[in-house]
């Protein structure tokens, strides 16, 4: 009886390990590029910014991006010099910025000044 319990526990642990490994793999659903360099990012040409480009110019800021009513694409704190951009906006994007004064936001290559907004500022990009 103890052997059956041990086998069931082993199977459960292997299944959970496989599940969490699968969930940790990056999704191929959206075209995302993140620059994790510690140095200040070089300016990006407006043609390469895509639908949404966010660069941290202050100390740090949390950035949350998701498809409306769907997948979370990014939910993390980015530090100075980090940037993220989404080339396409076919389904729309919901964005929340923890510290608007610490980031530069570009929508379709146009700078959006959100530095005077309250912490946790959010906005939606329509497709």
């Amino acid at each position: 009886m103890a052997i059956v319990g041990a086998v069931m526990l082993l199977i459960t642990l292997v299944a959970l390990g496989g599940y969490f490994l699968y969930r940790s793999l990056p999704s191929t659903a959206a075209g995302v590029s993140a620059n994790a360099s510690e140095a200040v990012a070089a300016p990006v040409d407006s043609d390469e910014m895509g639908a949404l480009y966010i660069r941290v110019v202050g100390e740090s800021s949390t950035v949350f991006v998701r498809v409306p009513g769907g997948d979370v694409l990014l939910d993390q704190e980015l530090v100075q010099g980090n940037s993220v951009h989404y080339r396409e906006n076919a389904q729309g994007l919901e964005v929340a910025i923890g510290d608007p004064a610490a980031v530069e936001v570009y929508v379709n290559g146009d700078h959006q000044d959100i530095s005077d907004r309250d912490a946790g500022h959010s906005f939606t990009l329509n497709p």
Side-chain angles (χ1 to χ4, degrees):
M1 190 66 164
I3 293 176
V4 173
V7 170
M8 292 300 293
L9 179 61
L10 178 64
I11 291 171
T12 302
L13 290 176
V14 169
L16 284 173
Y19 171 77
F20 286 114
L21 176 64
Y22 173 75
R23 296 279 295 163
S24 70
L25 296 175
S27 172
T28 59
V32 177
S33 174
N35 172 9
S37 169
E38 290 295 326
V40 175
V44 176
D45 187 21
S46 63
D47 294 336
E48 297 176 8
M49 289 183 180
L52 175 67
Y53 178 80
I54 301 170
R55 177 175 51 201
V56 180
V57 294
E59 189 172 316
S60 68
S61 178
T62 56
V63 178
F64 178 83
V65 181
R66 76 174 185 157
V67 175
D71 293 336
V72 173
L73 304 175
L74 178 70
D75 184 11
Q76 71 183 66
E77 183 168 357
L78 301 178
V79 296
Q80 185 177 35
N82 289 142
S83 64
V84 62
H85 71 278
Y86 297 85
R87 297 184 195 283
E88 298 177 6
N89 182 24
Q91 300 174 353
L93 295 171
E94 291 178 350
V95 182
I97 306 293
D99 182 3
V103 299
E104 291 180 343
V105 176
Y106 293 85
V107 175
N108 296 320
D110 296 326
H111 181 257
Q112 306 295 312
D113 186 11
I114 62 167
S115 60
D116 60 345
R117 305 297 172 105
D118 292 332
H121 174 68
S122 62
F123 58 93
T124 301
L125 299 180
N126 294 318

